[in-house]
Amino acid sequence: MIVIPKAGHDLVEMIRMLKVIKDSATDNRTAALHQLHAIVVTAAAALPERLQRL
C-alpha cells in the first residue's frame, strides 16, 4: 500500500489552520485577562479604585 501525503491545499486543511489560529488567539486572550486580573488584585489600593469605574 502506497501512502500519498496531502499537499495541504485542501479546504479541510485551510479550515483546520483557521481553527488552530482561533484557538491560539482565544488562549492568549484568556491568559492576558488572567494577568490583568492578577495585577489589579495584587496592586496598591489606589489602582483598583481607579479601575473600578471601567
Side-chain angles (χ1 to χ4, degrees):
M1 179 173 170
I2 298 174
V3 178
I4 300 172
K6 294 181 181 180
H9 301 294
D10 297 327
L11 180 61
V12 173
E13 181 68 15
M14 291 180 206
I15 292 170
R16 187 189 72 78
M17 292 297 277
L18 288 173
K19 183 179 180 333
V20 167
I21 292 168
K22 178 189 170 284
D23 291 347
S24 176
T26 301
D27 291 344
N28 287 329
R29 179 182 182 275
T30 302
L33 289 172
H34 287 166
Q35 288 175 348
L36 284 171
H37 180 70
I39 289 171
V40 170
V41 168
T42 60
L47 181 62
E49 289 172 8
R50 288 179 60 191
L51 296 177
Q52 190 172 15
R53 291 175 281 163
L54 300 175

